[in-house]
Amino acid sequence: QLQLVESGGGLVQSGGSLRLSCVASGFFVTLDYYAMGWFRQAPGKEREAVSCISSTDGSTNYADSVKDRFTISKDNAKNTVYLQMNNLKPEDTAVYYCAATWRTCAGWVDASSWRSWGQGTQVTVSS
């Protein structure tokens, strides 16, 4: 089983930046075997896919709302995936979750396709 723990959330001014981290642990060989993603959920809304990075070729996917502002990356040696968030907007306020699935980002927008989830970290952007 793969366990995921997010950190790095907090309160930031509009236009500012944050970097979220997600550390994997548990009984697995290496993070190389997993595609990793980020989702977010605002109060009263459904969980929204934000980004994904594939283990097969390192390709990435982004929601249109965060494209050119957010960047996903992974450090396999540290079992950690990151989400660099720049030029934050109040609309980005949400609980952010990391997730893992097997190898590729096929179907990444569908939350039900992901195997493991973290508990989330709060991001609040003030205007």
Side-chain angles (χ1 to χ4, degrees):
Q1 290 294 121
L2 182 64
Q3 290 83 50
L4 304 172
V5 179
E6 304 96 334
S7 63
L11 176 63
V12 65
Q13 299 291 322
S14 181
S17 299
L18 286 173
R19 189 177 76 158
L20 305 183
S21 300
C22 175
V23 179
S25 63
F27 296 101
F28 69 99
V29 177
T30 173
L31 209 59
D32 292 348
Y33 291 105
Y34 295 91
M36 302 297 297
W38 288 93
F39 283 68
R40 65 187 182 186
Q41 189 165 23
K45 294 187 177 181
E46 296 296 314
R47 191 164 296 190
E48 174 191 15
V50 175
S51 188
C52 184
I53 183 166
S54 172
S55 69
T56 56
D57 58 4
S59 62
T60 57
N61 293 275
Y62 297 95
D64 288 341
S65 59
V66 307
K67 192 177 299 181
D68 300 322
R69 297 190 298 120
F70 291 10
T71 303
I72 189 171
S73 62
K74 186 168 61 171
D75 186 337
N76 291 326
K78 296 182 178 179
N79 293 328
T80 302
V81 62
Y82 304 96
L83 185 68
Q84 178 67 46
M85 306 186 294
N86 297 326
N87 192 24
L88 283 161
K89 305 175 180 179
E91 307 92 87
D92 297 317
T93 295
V95 177
Y96 283 71
Y97 301 87
C98 65
T101 193
W102 184 243
R103 296 193 66 188
T104 79
C105 293
W108 70 283
V109 174
D110 184 1
S112 67
S113 70
W114 292 83
R115 184 174 184 270
S116 301
W117 293 87
Q119 293 299 308
T121 184
Q122 177 71 48
V123 172
T124 302
V125 184
S126 62
S127 60

